[in-house]
Amino acid sequence: MGTIRTTGKARREVEYDRMTINVTFSTRNKRSKDAIKKVINDCETFLKELKKMGIDISRIKGNKNSIEKRNYSDDRETEAQRAISWDLDYDLAFIDAVMTLSEKESYDVDVSVEPRYSRKSELCKELMREAVLDAKEVAEMLATSLGKTIKGPSKINASGDYDYITDEQYIEGDHKDGTVNGIDILGYGGNLFATLQNPTTTQEEEITIEWELEE
């Protein structure tokens, strides 16, 4: 009998297909009412412009609202913030439009884009199956060189602990897919940035399997 242990790996680079855009309006003023008025007006103006772009603003989330008294260089001022965010398909033209819109008015604004890959869980399953097949291919090659054959896995370590499962259970799985935006940006953006490729992310999976050998 006897056993051998092999490690299989799988790696894939994919384009981000979803994103969360965060926009935060902020200001400081000696008078609280002026600071509050500024962030409210800025946010309202920004939302109106988004509506002109054909965006359904009912899908946008109203996030942080804060008013704080702070000391700046011996002066006590009020810092006010109002934030919004929304989730949509990853689209460089749309990011370009939002950035352009953000600089059109006298906003004191922070904009951030958080990209993500919507099929990450499915991708992990696919890569894990590929890693299993990679580990098995190496095990079969080593077994052949020893004049033996692979009977099957006895231990599988995918996360630091050994789990006892069968080859068939591990290799089963499913596949799914996803879409694009279609917003009329009405003159906003249109820079060369919008013609670039979407950024990518790389996902890797690794699995160690102990295989039983037989003559």
Side-chain angles (χ1 to χ4, degrees):
M1 282 287 278
T3 62
I4 56 173
R5 185 178 298 171
T6 60
T7 297
K9 298 180 180 180
R11 182 175 184 272
R12 198 175 306 167
E13 184 178 8
V14 293
E15 282 192 0
Y16 287 116
D17 61 348
R18 295 287 295 173
M19 63 183 176
T20 298
I21 296 182
N22 303 290
V23 180
T24 304
F25 303 92
S26 59
T27 193
R28 295 204 309 254
N29 201 292
K30 289 183 186 282
R31 298 200 306 172
S32 296
K33 63 178 291 184
D34 292 334
I36 295 168
K37 183 178 181 180
K38 177 77 164 73
V39 293
I40 289 175
N41 288 343
D42 283 356
C43 186
E44 289 299 302
T45 301
F46 191 86
L47 290 171
K48 288 174 184 175
E49 291 298 321
L50 289 178
K51 284 188 74 172
K52 290 181 186 177
M53 292 167 64
I55 296 173
D56 178 5
I57 65 170
S58 67
R59 299 174 65 88
I60 297 176
K61 299 173 185 174
N63 286 345
K64 179 180 179 181
N65 280 270
S66 66
I67 305 161
E68 297 181 63
K69 289 285 188 182
R70 295 181 180 273
N71 290 320
Y72 297 98
S73 304
D74 298 327
D75 285 330
R76 192 163 176 80
E77 295 183 334
T78 296
E79 181 175 0
Q81 288 189 330
R82 170 162 282 185
I84 60 175
S85 69
W86 67 106
D87 298 311
L88 63 165
D89 293 330
Y90 200 95
D91 188 335
L92 288 173
F94 189 78
I95 295 171
D96 189 35
V98 169
M99 294 293 284
T100 302
L101 172 59
S102 299
E103 62 87 25
K104 272 183 173 286
E105 304 288 337
S106 56
Y107 301 128
D108 188 351
V109 63
D110 293 317
V111 179
S112 67
V113 178
E114 300 172 13
R116 65 183 184 281
Y117 181 62
S118 65
R119 293 187 63 245
K120 186 174 180 180
S121 61
E122 289 90 347
L123 177 61
C124 288
K125 292 176 186 176
E126 291 171 15
L127 291 177
M128 195 59 83
R129 288 194 293 274
E130 291 175 15
V132 169
L133 295 176
D134 182 46
K136 188 174 184 180
E137 184 178 337
V138 174
E140 287 173 341
M141 179 183 67
L142 292 175
T144 299
S145 68
L146 296 171
K148 300 187 177 184
T149 59
I150 297 295
K151 181 179 179 182
S154 61
K155 294 180 181 178
I156 295 180
N157 183 8
S159 59
D161 297 315
Y162 280 105
D163 296 315
Y164 292 84
I165 82 178
T166 70
D167 215 0
E168 292 75 19
Q169 284 175 316
Y170 207 83
I171 297 175
E172 284 176 5
D174 58 345
H175 303 260
K176 292 175 189 169
D177 293 299
T179 71
V180 173
N181 278 325
I183 299 293
D184 179 4
I185 59 176
L186 297 177
Y188 292 106
N191 296 316
L192 290 175
F193 176 82
T195 68
L196 304 180
Q197 294 183 13
N198 284 2
T200 61
T201 181
T202 300
Q203 185 70 32
E204 298 183 44
E205 294 295 338
E206 180 177 308
I207 189 166
T208 298
I209 304 176
E210 188 172 286
W211 306 88
E212 289 184 10
L213 300 177
E214 59 184 1
E215 299 295 337

